[in-house]
Amino acid sequence: MRLTDNSAWAPLAARVFRALWIAQLVSNTGTWMQTVGAQWLLVGHSAALVTLVQTASSLPVVLLALPSGVLADRYDRRKVLLAAQSALLAVSTVLTVLAFQGALTPGLLLALTFLLGCGTALMGPAWQAVQPELVAREHLGQAAALGAVNMNLARAVGPALGGAVVAAAGAGWVFAFNALSYLGIAAVLLLWRRPVTARPPGPGEGLLAAVQAGRRYVWHAPGVRRVLLRTALFIPGGAALWSLLPLVASRSLGLGSGGYGLLLGVVGVGAVSGAFALPAIRRVLGASGTLAAGSALFAAVLVVLALTHTPWLAAAALLPAGLAWIGVLSTLNTAVQQRLPGWVRARGLAVYLVVFQGGQALTAPLWGALADGLGLTASLLIGSGLLVGGALSVRRWPLHDTAGIDPSPTDHWPVPPLVFEPGPADGPVLVSVTYRIAPEDWAAFTDRMRHVARSRRRTGALTWGLYQDGGDPGRFVENYLVASWSEHLAQHHRRLTATDRRFEEQARRLLVDGTAPEVTHAFDAAAGPVVAPGEQDAHRTKATGAPWPAPAPGPDAVR
């Protein structure tokens, strides 16, 4: 295997990524073994109860992903991952002991599965956000595909192994293996010496404020919102396979736990095989075309499963299902990773995980209820119809191009020229920027400022407006309100990206020659003056700030 820059396996040349990938493979195998054991213990009950295993696993992500993303953005992600592994090990140990004692009721099984989902929710944003620290940006696509390969290699081995162990020795032993599988990731994390420069500065804002900052960033990032839309259009139909496959295996195909495990294994084999074809598929179809083709292929698989009662035909159909699943998921994951800057990466990924896992958690019991009410065939055909609709919608809502996106941080704003030193909580702060624009550039300037508006809102602005002076039409005033002085300093030093800077420079290229933006910072004085008369000299820090840097040469077109 050659680990060239263009190889699908190139990220494995990074030592820490390689070690974590191997440890994750063992852990994912244990997770799939545990899933088969849990689902098969409930197969004799109603379809709705079987599908609740999927809900119990995924619902915690909906509830906890955003707070977990805040933790991963505010604290050392390595320590957050270690805490999650410890929690998962503890819950898995309890599950194992209860299984061996014969005390594992359906209610206890679902409750402990829910707690395992809580540990996964704590781990998810930190795990995703740490990937750009382990591999080069140009290898993020391969890293995302390798993550999907990892999961599907485990899917190829874990379910079959789990089904065989359940049939031969009972579910307790698969739960025991799952508990032990968390030790590998914990060992790698303990040995990893994460660079100090990669660590967040520590807690500086409250939990609710941090969640709000993440929500605000995602809402004002059109590219991220489009990824979330594409995820929401794929997951409901895609979840039908994972929710109903245990019932297809037992009711339609007459298979036992071992046969169900083999069906899941076939999906994994298809996904791993498809990973080799994905780079060529993306070159031909592009990211949006890959999403459309993957959705259509997955829809065809559901039709086959709805109509067949032949195990070998069902297994043959599940091979391309693996290719479609890995193609869609790795494309979505790469798209969101490439758009998020480091300061909010974990929170942005948490929102993605909420949509992804939440879609599965919310639709799984619905698929179970449909299977009980309408039957498996009708339920699978409905899922196929949803996927076809999602594939057709790609033409209307494609993924945005990432060619002009650079999320690397930049600290290019001049020092604010204040005559006193504000406290971190002082605010709100009204920032005003005045521009002098020639008449022939007024339309182009207001158009380019739309991108600046999104930048301000993404990085902390609560409100934003652009105004043209009625008495002096060449004078434009940009106003935006920030909650506190610390929030504005975060804009200055941590939150702006190279893309934000490019948008600012494209607007400032239209300034009248010889002029520069004039910036003022006004503080809330409703309760009294911020600086008392006669005290300004005593409190003076910098009466004038550094000049704005000149726009870098480059094309004017906004991308």
Side-chain angles (χ1 to χ4, degrees), residues 434-511:
T434 302
Y435 306 87
R436 178 66 61 178
I437 308 296
E440 62 272 18
D441 293 326
W442 289 352
F445 176 74
T446 55
D447 182 65
R448 295 183 185 189
M449 287 298 288
R450 291 186 298 107
H451 297 274
V452 175
R454 292 196 190 103
S455 169
R456 306 288 199 236
R457 293 181 184 274
R458 280 196 300 266
T459 56
L462 303 176
T463 62
W464 183 91
L466 181 66
Y467 305 90
Q468 186 174 17
D469 192 331
D472 184 1
R475 180 175 175 268
F476 287 79
V477 181
E478 174 195 10
N479 286 334
Y480 61 94
L481 192 69
V482 186
S484 67
W485 184 242
S486 62
E487 278 280 293
H488 186 55
L489 289 181
Q491 285 184 307
H492 268 265
H493 303 304
R494 291 199 300 117
R495 295 181 178 177
L496 291 174
T497 68
T499 301
D500 296 319
R501 180 171 186 170
R502 190 182 78 245
F503 289 148
E504 290 178 6
E505 291 178 344
Q506 287 169 346
R508 288 193 288 112
R509 287 194 188 102
L510 299 179
L511 286 166

Side-chain angles (χ1 to χ4, degrees), residues 294-322:
S295 296
L297 185 56
F298 215 77
V301 171
L302 291 186
V303 172
V304 173
L305 293 179
L307 301 179
T308 187
H309 296 280
T310 307
W312 70 263
L313 184 57
L318 288 172
L319 272 172

Side-chain angles (χ1 to χ4, degrees), residues 103 113 185 201 208 215 222 260 301 315 341 366 430 472:
T113 301
I185 293 179
L208 293 179
R215 184 208 63 79
Y260 169 54
V301 171
L366 296 179
L430 178 64
D472 184 1

Side-chain angles (χ1 to χ4, degrees), residues 60-127:
V61 177
V62 180
L63 302 175
L64 300 176
L66 275 173
S68 299
V70 171
L71 291 176
D73 279 333
R74 294 174 67 190
Y75 298 100
D76 189 334
R77 288 168 184 158
R78 170 180 163 274
K79 294 180 180 178
V80 173
L81 291 170
L82 279 170
Q85 293 300 303
S86 301
L88 289 166
L89 175 59
V91 175
S92 296
T93 301
V94 173
L95 181 61
T96 302
V97 171
L98 290 175
F100 279 126
Q101 290 180 344
L104 196 58
T105 64
L108 275 175
L109 176 58
L110 290 173
L112 290 169
T113 301
F114 179 84
L115 290 177
L116 286 174
C118 291
T120 302
L122 176 62
M123 178 180 175
W127 184 271

Side-chain angles (χ1 to χ4, degrees), residues 128 140-141 144-145 148 223-235 278 282 287-288 290-292 295 324-340 348-349 352-353 355-356 394 397-400 402:
Q128 295 278 357
L140 279 177
V224 176
R225 290 206 317 270
R226 182 57 56 85
V227 174
L228 298 180
L229 174 63
R230 296 296 347 150
T231 304
L233 290 172
F234 175 77
I235 287 301
L278 271 180
R282 285 202 187 103
S288 295
T290 301
L291 292 182
S295 296
W325 186 259
I326 193 176
V328 171
L329 262 62
S330 64
T331 299
L332 293 171
N333 192 284
T334 301
V336 74
Q337 287 269 14
Q338 289 178 333
R339 287 171 166 82
L340 292 169
L349 287 165
Y352 166 71
L353 290 174
V355 175
F356 177 78
V394 169
W397 297 303
L399 290 177
H400 292 175
T402 60

Side-chain angles (χ1 to χ4, degrees), residues 319-404:
L319 272 172
L323 167 62
W325 186 259
I326 193 176
V328 171
L329 262 62
S330 64
T331 299
L332 293 171
N333 192 284
T334 301
V336 74
Q337 287 269 14
Q338 289 178 333
R339 287 171 166 82
L340 292 169
W343 71 271
V344 75
R345 183 179 297 131
R347 279 167 281 183
L349 287 165
V351 176
Y352 166 71
L353 290 174
V354 165
V355 175
F356 177 78
Q357 296 283 8
Q360 296 186 76
L362 295 175
T363 56
L366 296 179
W367 291 122
L370 280 175
D372 279 336
L374 302 178
L376 273 176
T377 298
S379 300
L380 289 166
L381 291 177
I382 291 172
S384 177
L386 291 175
L387 287 167
V388 170
L392 294 175
S393 72
V394 169
R395 185 177 182 87
R396 174 66 179 83
W397 297 303
L399 290 177
H400 292 175
D401 186 18
T402 60

